[in-house]
Structure formats: structure tokens, C-alpha cells
């Protein structure tokens, strides 16, 4: 099955770039100014912050790095508690393994797969320091309720916005709804930079300053100060006063070299205007998929709140039980439609089971993964022919199930860690 060629593939996407991006890269090839200078990067960060509605945007070389650095801003201390969603990619919560904190996984809403605010309230204790949530598949979480609880109990909220470019919550963009947020510009996102890229958004000036330092070795750039030579040094008279330029290498604490390249930033800038176009294309396809599902009441789509706009990075739907879900996956596979299930409940992965997490901790998330949910292909690089074929294949598969087709023995759906 791994070598099978699908009519409608899930991923394996090439470049999303057009002539505009190619022209930008051609300009860079003939650039005379120093490319590490960061003028394009700074311009992209300003544009991205403005598009999201955030005071600051700090670009880095991947979404995983963005999440690591955003979590550093939470200043977690031993004994702190962090609440996190289990319905996400491992990169959301993996940085917490570096901290001596207790992670409490919060169950999800069965219709949105986002963190359930009712379950959240029951997990809050005086030691709760932070909350990590995701806008699953591009469906905005219920941020008003979440942020009200955060302000009431004094903890910070980090938005994982990896799926959320093009989404809206009460007219606002994810990434401006909490204390800090992380975005992805991976090749299969609404905006991409020919591979990997990430951004962190926040409104706090002190955090922005720390993130800029952390991104580049955390070098101390304070003004140089005078120093008196206490012993003769080559070329310096005894007792002479001279300056030490601290910005030339004095480092305050461990940092990194996570700077986004000028080429990636230039591509990101060129693609910002296309984010809404790509999201609109995915929403149009999602609307067609919804129409098919409406004819078969045994399968229901993920529902976004009425005051939200779904970005449809993932198109998710739910079967009534595991047998039905498995039969549908196989029926689509036979018709050449690739299916992947995202994501395995984080609290049941070995690294978290090692820390004491067990099955039964998040029953809604577990039931959804093992019995109900599946994700259909829905991305901007599907051709009109592939979209039409997907609609026909889905309709045909559901009609087959409605007629009582036999249940096969195995399911070939890919359990994938891709975001």
C-alpha cells in the first residue's frame, strides 16, 4: 500500500509558488546588499504582524522552533502545571518534555476537536501556569471562554496556529487572541517558503526583545562600557582605560541560530496576499464535501462555531462507530483517495505514558481517534479534476456503505505525524 499511486493524494505536494515568487528569488540572486542584513525579513515580520493584528511577529526557521521559543517565554518553573490539548501534532507539546512541569491533558469537544472549555475549568489549580491549545484543522477554538478563565486564574495562553492561517474568530485572526502564538510556513500550509519556516506573534515588547535575542545566540548588545586594565596587555599601557564592545560576542545565556533566511522571508512576503485566496479555495471544496455528507446522516462534518470562519487546513468528519469509519476508509482507498488520520492522542504516546499518562484520561479524544474521525484531502494544490473526482469517490463510497457492503478485515489509512 505504501507505493500505491493515488488519484487524490493526501500530501506529496510540490511548490505552491508562482511567477511572482520566482521573480523575487531572481532578484535575490542578483542582490548586492548583504543577504544576512535582514531587510526583507523585517519587512515580512511587519506585514505578518499587521495581517494577524499583533504588535510583534518574530520569524524563525521552522514551526517547531517557534513553539520551543514561545514556550520559553512562559518562564516555566519546577512544579508548575501546564494544561494542553491531546488532539494535536506532537510538536505542540514536545517542548514541555524539557521542563520539570506537570502536564495535564484536557479533553476535547467532540464536534470541533478543540479543547473543551468545560473540561478545562475542572483541571485548573493554583499551580496552573499556562495553557497550550490548537485551532484544530483551522477551526478556531472558543477563545472568549478560554481567555476569561485564563485572566480569572492568572495563567498564560499559547495558541498553536499552525493550521489557522485564513481563519477568523469573531472577526479576529488567530495569533492575536491569546498571550503568544506560533505559526507554520511549512510546504503544506496556506503560506509557505519552499520548505520550512515559522513565526511567533505577541503583543509584549519585552517578549519580542527576548525572542530576537534568543533567535540569534542571545548576544548582549548593550552599549560598550569602559574598563581599566589591571595588568599589562599587549599594546595597552598599564592602568589605561579602554572599552569592551559587548555586542561582539558576550552571550548572556544559551540561545540559538534560528534566523529565517532572506529568501524565505521574501517568499513569505510575496505569498501573504494569497493566504485568503488559498483559504477560500479550501472553503469552497469543504462546502462541496458538506453537500455530499448532508445526503448521508450517518456521517457528520466537523462544526465551527457560528461566529468563526474555518480555514480548512484539514477537512474532518465523524462516523457513528469504528466499523463504519473503517469501511469508508477502505472504500475511498479502493477508489484512489488517500486517507490519513490526524492525530494520535498525545497522552498515549510513549514519552507521555512514561510520565504517567494513561488511557481513559481524555475519553472523548480517544473515542474520536479510535472509532470516529477521519480527514479527507482538502488543500489548495488539488486540481479541478482531482476535486471533482474526490466528490464522486466520496458520494460513491457512502452510497456503497448505505447499501450494506461487507466489512473488510483491515484498514490501510495512514497514521501520520504530518501537520
Amino acid at each position: 500500500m505504501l507505493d500505491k499511486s493515488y488519484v487524490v493524494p493526501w500530501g506529496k505536494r510540490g511548490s505552491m509558488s508562482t511567477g511572482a515568487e520566482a521573480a523575487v528569488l531572481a532578484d535575490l540572486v542578483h542582490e548586492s546588499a548583504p543577504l544576512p542584513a535582514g531587510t526583507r525579513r523585517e519587512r515580512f515580520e511587519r506585514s505578518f504582524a499587521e495581517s494577524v493584528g499583533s504588535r510583534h511577529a518574530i520569524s524563525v526557521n521552522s514551526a517547531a522552533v517557534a513553539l520551543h521559543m514561545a514556550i520559553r517565554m512562559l518562564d516555566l518553573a519546577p512544579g508548575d502545571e501546564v494544561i494542553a490539548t491531546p488532539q494535536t501534532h506532537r510538536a505542540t507539546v514536545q517542548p514541555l518534555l524539557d521542563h520539570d512541569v506537570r502536564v495535564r491533558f484536557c479533553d476535547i469537544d467532540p464536534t470541533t476537536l478543540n479543547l473543551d472549555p468545560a473540561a478545562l475549568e475542572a483541571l485548573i489549580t493554583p499551580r496552573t501556569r499556562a495553557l497550550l491549545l490548537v485551532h484544530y484543522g483551522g477551526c478556531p477554538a472558543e477563545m472568549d471562554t478560554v481567555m476569561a478563565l485564563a485572566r480569572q486564574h492568572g495563567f498564560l495562553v499559547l495558541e498553536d496556529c499552525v493550521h489557522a492561517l485564513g481563519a477568523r474568530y469573531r472577526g479576529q485572526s488567530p495569533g492575536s487572541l491569546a498571550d503568544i502564538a506560533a505559526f507554520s510556513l511549512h510546504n503544506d500550509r496556506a503560506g509557505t517558503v519552499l520548505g520550512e519556516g515559522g513565526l511567533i506573534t505577541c503583543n509584549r515588547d519585552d517578549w519580542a526583545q527576548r525572542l530576537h535575542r534568543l533567535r540569534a545566540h542571545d548576544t548582549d548588545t548593550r552599549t560598550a562600557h569602559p574598563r581599566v586594565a589591571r595588568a599589562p596587555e599587549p599594546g595597552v599601557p598599564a592602568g589605561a582605560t579602554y572599552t569592551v564592545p559587548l555586542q561582539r560576542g558576550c552571550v548572556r545565556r544559551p540561545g540559538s541560530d534560528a534566523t529565517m533566511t532572506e529568501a524565505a522571508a521574501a517568499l513569505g512576503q510575496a505569498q501573504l496576499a494569497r493566504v485568503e485566496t488559498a483559504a477560500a479555495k479550501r472553503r469552497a471544496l469543504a462546502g462541496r464535501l458538506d453537500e455530499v455528507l448532508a445526503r448521508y446522516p450517518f456521517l457528520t462534518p466537523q462544526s465551527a462555531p457560528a461566529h468563526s470562519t474555518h480555514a480548512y487546513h484539514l477537512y474532518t468528519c465523524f462516523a457513528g462507530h469504528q466499523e463504519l469509519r473503517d469501511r469508508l476508509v477502505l472504500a475511498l482507498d479502493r477508489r484512489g483517495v488517500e486517507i490519513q488520520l490526524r492525530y494520535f492522542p498525545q497522552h498515549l504516546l510513549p514519552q507521555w505514558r512514561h510520565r504517567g499518562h494513561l488511557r481513559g484520561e481524555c475519553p472523548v479524544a480517544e473515542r474520536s481517534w479510535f472509532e470516529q474521525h477521519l480527514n479527507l484531502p482538502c488543500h489548495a494544490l488539488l486540481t479541478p479534476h482531482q476535486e471533482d473526482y474526490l466528490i464522486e469517490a466520496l458520494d460513491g463510497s457512502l452510497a456503497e456503505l448505505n447499501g450494506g457492503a461487507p466489512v473488510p478485515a483491515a484498514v490501510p489509512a495512514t497514521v501520520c505525524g504530518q501537520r
Side-chain angles (χ1 to χ4, degrees), residues 205-281:
D205 295 346
D206 60 329
W207 279 1
Q209 292 170 5
R210 287 176 59 190
L211 288 164
H212 279 292
R213 294 198 307 268
L214 185 60
R215 180 177 66 182
H217 302 296
D218 201 7
T219 304
D220 194 328
T221 57
R222 292 175 296 179
T223 304
H225 61 79
R227 173 179 162 189
V228 177
R230 298 186 178 180
E233 297 182 23
V236 179
T241 299
Y242 61 100
T243 59
V244 179
L246 293 181
Q247 64 270 29
R248 292 186 179 178
C250 294
V251 175
R252 297 188 227 195
R253 60 186 66 83
S256 63
D257 188 5
T259 305
M260 178 179 284
T261 66
E262 283 287 271
L267 286 173
Q269 179 73 34
Q271 291 198 348
L272 268 181
R274 291 174 42 208
V275 167
E276 292 300 331
T277 301
K281 188 175 189 295

Side-chain angles (χ1 to χ4, degrees), residues 138-161:
C139 178
E142 273 295 358
M143 295 303 296
D144 282 357
T145 306
V146 167
M147 294 309 297
L149 288 170
R151 298 302 178 246
Q152 177 185 348
H153 295 278
F155 59 84
L156 300 168
V157 179
L158 189 160
E159 296 176 82
D160 181 339
C161 297

Side-chain angles (χ1 to χ4, degrees), residues 54-68:
S54 180
R55 184 176 176 86
H56 301 284
I58 297 89
S59 61
V60 290
N61 52 14
S62 75
V65 169
L67 285 161
H68 270 274

Side-chain angles (χ1 to χ4, degrees), residues 329-371:
V329 169
L330 279 165
L332 289 168
D333 187 81
R334 287 195 299 270
R335 287 170 168 82
V337 176
E338 184 179 14
I339 300 296
Q340 293 183 356
L341 306 180
R342 298 183 176 181
Y343 303 96
F344 191 84
Q346 291 300 300
H347 64 291
L348 299 182
L349 289 173
Q351 60 267 36
W352 293 107
R353 292 178 70 96
H354 179 71
R355 291 197 170 195
H357 297 277
L358 300 170
R359 189 161 183 175
E361 187 173 334
C362 298
V364 177
E366 295 164 16
R367 183 168 62 252
S368 175
W369 165 262
F370 290 110
E371 301 177 15

Side-chain angles (χ1 to χ4, degrees), residues 179-202:
D179 297 292
I180 193 166
F183 287 85
S184 173
L185 295 176
H186 188 274
N187 201 53
D188 63 356
R189 300 297 180 267
T192 180
V193 291
L194 292 180
E196 292 276 4
L199 292 114
I200 306 158
T201 57
C202 66

